Amino acid sequence: MRRTRFTHAALAVLLTLGAGLAAGATPASAGDSAAKAPASAGLLTAMQRDLNLSKAEAEERLTAERRATALEPKVRRAAGTSFGGTWFDATAGRLTVGLTPDATPATLRDVRATGAAVRTVTHSARELAATQARLDKLPAPGGVSSWHVDPEASTVVVNVVAGEQADNDVRQFTARAHRAGPVTVRHVSAAPRTLAAGTVGGDPYYTGNVRCSIGFSVYGGFITAGHCGQPSAAVYGWDRSYIGNFQGSSFPENDYAWVNVGSGWWTVPVVLGWGTVSDQLVRGSNVAPVGSSICRSGSTTHWHCGTVLAMNETVNYSQGAVRQMTKTSVCAEPGDSGGSFISGDQAQGVTSGGWGNCSGGGETWFQPVNEILNRYGLTLHTA
């Protein structure tokens, strides 16, 4: 970025990366990443604070999660039609795979040979995905917060705002949901909202009277949340100098966008620590499974960590539903929209919305990074 306000020791490194990695950098594989340090000191500090871990426990967890992330595609192939989903068991430090009762002895043997733990589940991942797809076609009232597949419970979870369960529209939705397939209704504290904010001086970018946060650098620009700006809208940096324009934006249904970078600004493969923690290099975008630790950087609340709670969740904002989101236990506040979600050194997605705050806690959703890259034909800028 142009005239950035990096004020910590990484300044010289970032300037070198900005000039030297603009061409020829390629995403690292999970194996390459595993050979490097598990995370920056700042990321480990944030995990210790938010997940109540010691430094050794945080390092051990990141290493185990990296193994689980690399293992997931192999497990999915080995399970075949009996595949019921995967999740990371933080207590055991290993990937767990659900297999339906019709799994053959050969399938069971092949899955166990990968090193993953095995659990019997009632429904296949395909059946649960089909149920969620049926729910996606239903009009959802405001009292219905979201819905997602829970592979460990082998059900589609419909989250209803506490106190709204007796509402006629909510009752009608949940009744239709139960008829769609295996569904469980749970109660949540509040409805989700997007996390854009009005103009506040000294933060990373503005469009109109909205302040949002940069997600991840891509070659030619950066990705962020779609609700932060419409296509062609001008974008200005923390110092109010012109950066570029929204080249693509989608919200609702999706919540992603990308902005071109020019006028003296440049991109770097870094998630900012905002002077609170060390900056984190981005080395790839391997997807962390449910149960993994994950951290978020945003212009309002800086670094916070938690765990991945669910994937492919449909979130029912007041502006409309957004599909294929990932839910986390990380807190966020207005102005954090668009900011980076990262697991170890692997980019995960851009902050969309949530409920609660970083004083009392809450939950936050992000749009997965690989979906954004694929949609716009972008390449993640990696170290």
Side-chain angles (χ1 to χ4, degrees):
M1 290 167 27
R2 176 178 178 273
R3 301 199 308 277
T4 58
R5 51 178 179 172
F6 302 149
T7 58
H8 29 281
L11 176 59
V13 175
L14 298 185
L15 293 177
T16 302
L17 288 168
L21 290 180
T26 57
S29 69
D32 293 336
S33 182
K36 299 179 176 69
S40 70
L43 181 57
L44 291 170
T45 298
M47 289 181 65
Q48 291 173 67
R49 178 195 65 201
D50 294 338
L51 298 176
N52 297 316
L53 302 173
S54 67
K55 181 180 178 181
E57 288 171 336
E59 290 176 335
E60 182 179 356
R61 176 160 180 164
L62 284 171
T63 300
E65 289 172 352
R66 188 170 286 113
R67 287 196 299 265
T69 298
L71 189 60
E72 203 277 343
K74 301 175 184 177
V75 165
R76 185 183 294 267
R77 289 192 297 269
T81 58
S82 301
F83 181 68
T86 59
W87 58 95
F88 179 74
D89 184 337
T91 302
R94 64 192 299 200
L95 187 72
T96 301
V97 57
L99 292 180
T100 54
D102 62 354
T104 66
T107 296
L108 185 61
R109 182 180 63 251
D110 290 346
V111 171
R112 284 179 171 159
T114 67
V118 176
R119 283 263 303 273
T120 300
V121 295
T122 306
H123 304 287
S124 70
R126 180 174 296 181
E127 182 180 358
L128 295 174
T131 299
Q132 183 178 14
R134 296 184 192 104
L135 267 59
D136 284 346
K137 296 177 181 178
L138 302 179
V144 176
S145 170
S146 61
W147 51 95
H148 70 273
V149 169
D150 182 341
E152 186 172 4
S154 198
T155 187
V156 175
V157 175
V158 175
N159 294 300
V160 173
V161 178
E164 298 288 335
Q165 59 266 33
D167 177 83
N168 286 335
D169 290 338
V170 172
R171 293 174 64 183
Q172 183 179 23
F173 181 91
T174 55
R176 295 179 70 182
H178 280 298
R179 292 195 294 271
V183 163
T184 301
V185 175
R186 296 177 184 168
H187 296 152
V188 295
S189 300
R193 70 190 193 284
T194 56
L195 297 169
T199 299
V200 176
D203 281 22
Y205 83 87
Y206 303 87
T207 179
N209 65 343
V210 172
R211 169 172 61 85
C212 282
S213 301
I214 292 171
F216 293 95
S217 288
V218 296
Y219 289 105
F222 65 83
I223 57 174
T224 186
H227 69 264
C228 291
Q230 297 297 314
S232 78
V235 174
Y236 299 88
W238 65 269
D239 60 355
R240 299 297 182 151
S241 64
Y242 175 73
I243 296 178
N245 298 78
F246 278 87
Q247 299 299 300
S249 179
S250 178
F251 179 80
E253 186 65 28
N254 305 293
D255 194 6
Y256 49 59
W258 84 279
V259 175
N260 69 318
V261 167
S263 302
W265 291 72
W266 66 89
T267 64
V268 290
V270 169
V271 173
L272 297 175
W274 304 106
T276 302
V277 301
S278 302
D279 297 331
Q280 177 66 45
L281 291 175
V282 178
R283 294 193 169 101
S285 57
N286 296 316
V287 179
V290 170
S292 299
S293 63
I294 194 165
C295 296
R296 180 192 56 73
S297 178
S299 61
T300 299
T301 57
H302 303 163
W303 274 95
H304 285 276
C305 297
T307 57
V308 178
L309 299 177
M311 292 182 176
N312 296 322
E313 182 154 36
T314 300
V315 180
N316 190 34
Y317 292 127
S318 61
Q319 300 95 328
V322 177
R323 323 287 180 191
Q324 296 180 312
M325 301 260 269
T326 299
K327 179 165 68 175
T328 76
S329 64
V330 187
C331 68
E333 296 180 10
D336 287 327
S337 277
S340 320
F341 265 93
I342 190 166
S343 181
D345 56 14
Q346 300 295 302
Q348 299 299 308
V350 300
T351 303
S352 173
W355 63 268
N357 55 51
C358 289
S359 297
E363 294 175 338
T364 305
W365 286 266
F366 67 80
Q367 186 87 65
V369 64
N370 289 328
E371 180 183 357
I372 309 172
L373 300 177
N374 292 335
R375 168 63 180 83
Y376 294 118
L378 301 170
T379 300
L380 187 67
H381 192 166
T382 57

